[in-house]
Amino acid sequence: MRSWITDAQNTWCPGCGNFSIQHALKAVLDDLADEGHPPETFVLVSGIGCHAKIADYMNMNTFYSIHGRGTAAAAGIKLARPDLTVISCAGDGDAYAEGLDHLIFGAKRNTDITVIVHDNRVYGLTTGQYTPTSKMGFPGRSTPAGVRESPINPLEVMLASGATFVARGYTRQMDHLKSILKAAILHRGFSFVDVLQICATYNNLTDYYNERIYLLDGNDTGDFDAAFRTAREWDYSSDAPIALGIFYRQEAPSDIWGPPGTVSAEQRREEIGRILQEKI
């Protein structure tokens, strides 16, 4: 059996939710490999932040992108190699602040990639600043008197942007999280999973989540309006029930830009050479 975990020294804090996401992903990749998906056909892209170290800790094709550009890098890899299964792990600051435009355009284009957001609702690597999903009043390092902005609801943003697979998981519901991640990776089109996790050091929300989460059961995942209503039950700041599961799933044309044309590698080299000659 393939070992998906590398020997690299792990520097995540004890109790970090990243461990759960890593092992859920490992279990899904094991399943998919057993079902005939060669391990070398998977690519994992990460951004910048605590989550991004997963690129070092997973024994597979990985790519470290710059901050917020994980979705764009993943889309580029998929465009160049449509035969690969591309997974992008991102943090909440990474995806919802620096990378929000790339996330929206990935959804708009229904790019055939999977985006998994490690949403601990704080910048952990830089010691505790607030992010776009931090709750109102969160006393971060940059906002000691408390955040005065309402958080964004990433599920609403993704539904409004055209994502064809929208889900939310939680790191203390491992079997449920595995089932969501597997469905997301197998979905053809842009799949988005917001994974609620704690930051054990700067934002430990274990009790808060445990008291409020519930699993969606029997919802019609093809009903966009129902998905939107469910997504709006909890606004990432209130004390409302927090739904977990697949909110929305739809089959739609993907990769609308298609592969990069029919220009051969030789023609491409000649054209690049011509452009360079003009600039010399």
Side-chain angles (χ1 to χ4, degrees):
M1 177 178 290
R2 181 187 181 92
S3 172
W4 292 95
I5 309 295
T6 70
D7 294 329
Q9 182 181 2
N10 194 305
T11 59
W12 286 332
C13 299
C16 176
N18 285 325
F19 287 105
S20 297
I21 296 175
Q22 179 193 26
H23 283 268
L25 187 58
K26 166 187 172 295
V28 170
L29 294 174
D30 258 341
D31 281 354
L32 294 175
D34 290 344
E35 293 168 10
H37 301 269
E40 62 270 20
T41 63
F42 294 102
V43 181
L44 177 66
V45 178
S46 70
I48 296 296
C50 288
H51 83 278
K53 299 174 186 175
I54 196 169
D56 291 331
Y57 303 154
M58 293 296 289
N59 179 26
M60 59 190 294
N61 299 314
T62 60
F63 183 90
Y64 255 115
S65 77
I66 56 178
H67 208 183
R69 271 57 176 178
T71 303
I77 292 170
K78 186 67 181 181
L79 186 65
R81 288 288 304 272
D83 55 313
L84 299 178
T85 298
V86 185
I87 303 163
S88 175
C89 284
D92 44 308
D94 196 45
Y96 303 146
E98 288 86 349
L100 184 60
D101 50 350
H102 298 294
L103 193 65
I104 287 173
F105 273 83
K108 273 164 54 70
R109 293 167 179 159
N110 197 29
T111 305
D112 188 19
I113 60 175
T114 298
V115 177
I116 302 169
V117 179
H118 302 218
D119 192 355
N120 58 13
R121 307 169 68 195
V122 71
Y123 282 98
L125 190 67
T126 50
T127 69
Q129 296 80 15
Y130 82 102
T131 75
T133 53
S134 298
K135 69 175 182 178
M136 177 84 83
F138 173 75
R141 290 286 295 271
S142 58
T143 51
V147 179
R148 298 181 182 179
E149 308 161 13
S150 297
I152 69 166
N153 183 332
L155 274 68
E156 282 188 271
V157 173
M158 287 293 91
L159 286 167
S161 300
T164 54
F165 184 105
V166 175
R168 183 194 286 137
Y170 176 39
T171 52
R172 292 179 65 86
Q173 293 283 332
M174 277 290 286
D175 288 341
H176 187 254
L177 179 59
K178 290 176 199 172
S179 69
I180 290 175
L181 294 185
K182 185 172 183 179
I185 292 170
L186 291 175
H187 176 73
R188 180 163 176 74
F190 187 84
S191 50
F192 165 82
V193 185
D194 184 62
V195 183
L196 299 177
Q197 68 168 90
I198 66 158
C199 173
T201 304
Y202 297 107
N203 198 22
N204 192 339
L205 296 169
T206 301
D207 292 340
Y208 178 86
Y209 289 143
N210 287 347
E211 292 171 3
R212 292 167 179 79
I213 58 120
Y214 74 94
L215 307 186
L216 291 172
D217 183 21
N219 60 311
D220 180 359
T221 56
D223 188 332
F224 179 86
D225 293 334
F228 221 99
R229 285 194 299 273
T230 307
R232 301 190 77 172
E233 283 182 349
W234 179 57
D235 64 3
Y236 286 73
S237 195
S238 67
D239 291 332
I242 303 171
L244 304 178
I246 299 171
F247 288 60
Y248 184 65
R249 176 163 45 188
Q250 180 194 38
E251 296 298 325
S254 64
D255 303 322
I256 59 174
W257 293 97
T262 56
V263 177
S264 68
E266 183 178 356
Q267 289 175 303
R268 189 173 297 114
R269 282 195 295 272
E270 289 177 355
E271 181 64 13
I272 292 172
R274 183 187 65 78
I275 294 171
L276 291 176
Q277 285 296 326
E278 289 179 356
K279 300 296 182 185
I280 293 175

